Amino acid sequence: MLQLYGQEFTSRMLLGTAQYSSPDILRQAVEASGAEIVTVSLRRESARARTGQAFWGLIEELGCRVLPNTAGCHTAKEAMATAQMARELFGTSWVKLEVIANADTLQPDLFGLVEAATVLSAEGFDVLPYTTEDLSAAERLLAAGCSVLMPWASPIGSARGLINKTALQSMRAYFPDTPLIIDAGIGSPSHAAEAMELGYDAVLLNTAVAKADDPVKMARAFAQAIEAGRLAFEAGLVEPRDMASPSTPVAGTPFFKIDHAS
């Protein structure tokens, strides 16, 4: 069971709601994924003049918990203002906090992120920060009041998967009791399964599902991969070896010599 800020969820897949070809495809993808949490960009959707109200209606119909995000914010001040508007609009203290440093890589601004997280946590927000695998930034975010961390696998929308697997393993080992959610860069179900096998608690997806030829099938594939990866982690993976290890031991095994002459 996934536990975030005192709430329990059966699904370990969080799904973004941007870039789908139609509201109906979005609805089907969410249903196929089994996701219980969907992310919504307040800045993006508020800019959609004619379709905005229909979109909000669809989100309500899905019955999922809404996780507003501050996508598109490049300063702590912008992110804090957006989070405050989202709390009023959605009636939730949850916020996926994004403060972007670089327009090309969409890498988080770790300094602005810690600044905004500190203020928002003090104001009663439950902050889920989009961060990197940097351990010092993670420590500062936890000290700021965050109880969940969301490190990237690789840049948003890049579909490159876990480009720094060793650092992500270190982060998992360094914060064994903190819920860690892989956010950004996941391109295939195998990437998601790999993240879960490392012991991560959940995976947040958007582009890999929304831009697939068949988003509904892809959502189902990711859901199954995430479940498989989690089961593998809980079962205990065999450690890699440098040398071969026979599956059938030969020590003490009787060998019978056939005498063809007789």
Side-chain angles (χ1 to χ4, degrees), residues 132-133 151-154 161-173 180 182 195 198 200:
T132 67
E133 65 276 27
W152 67 353
S154 50
L162 282 60
I163 60 174
N164 198 344
K165 183 176 177 180
T166 300
L168 290 171
Q169 285 177 309
S170 296
M171 191 174 197
R172 177 70 285 177
L180 300 179
I182 288 291
L198 293 181
Y200 277 72

Side-chain angles (χ1 to χ4, degrees), residues 27-160:
R27 176 189 289 106
Q28 292 183 57
V30 172
E31 291 173 348
S33 73
E36 298 167 273
I37 302 173
V38 296
T39 64
V40 176
S41 170
L42 179 63
R43 291 166 67 93
R44 181 186 300 115
E45 298 304 335
S46 293
R48 297 168 57 168
R50 296 187 177 179
T51 60
Q53 292 304 316
F55 176 82
W56 300 132
L58 170 59
I59 295 300
E60 290 180 353
E61 289 175 15
L62 289 171
C64 298
R65 184 178 190 103
V66 174
L67 175 59
N69 69 46
T70 62
C73 294
H74 290 264
T75 67
K77 184 177 180 179
E78 277 186 298
M80 289 185 284
T82 302
Q84 289 159 354
M85 288 189 290
R87 179 162 62 178
E88 291 204 11
L89 178 62
F90 293 106
T92 178
S93 62
W94 283 33
V95 62
K96 178 192 168 188
L97 182 62
E98 296 184 30
V99 183
I100 301 301
N102 184 282
D104 293 321
T105 65
L106 300 180
Q107 180 172 344
D109 175 353
L110 300 180
F111 301 101
L113 188 65
V114 171
E115 178 186 348
T118 302
V119 173
L120 292 174
S121 295
E123 292 180 353
F125 281 88
D126 297 317
V127 180
L128 293 85
Y130 162 61
T131 184
T132 67
E133 65 276 27
D134 185 276
L135 296 182
S136 61
E139 288 181 322
R140 285 167 170 76
L141 287 167
L142 293 175
C146 300
S147 296
V148 180
L149 298 174
M150 303 180 73
W152 67 353
S154 50
I156 293 173
S158 67
R160 294 170 60 190

Side-chain angles (χ1 to χ4, degrees), residues 195-213:
M196 298 303 292
E197 288 172 359
L198 293 181
Y200 277 72
D201 296 279
V203 174
L204 194 157
L205 305 159
N206 192 171
T207 304
V209 172
K211 290 299 185 181
D213 291 340

Side-chain angles (χ1 to χ4, degrees), residues 238-242:
V238 175
E239 291 293 326
R241 294 169 54 96
D242 292 330

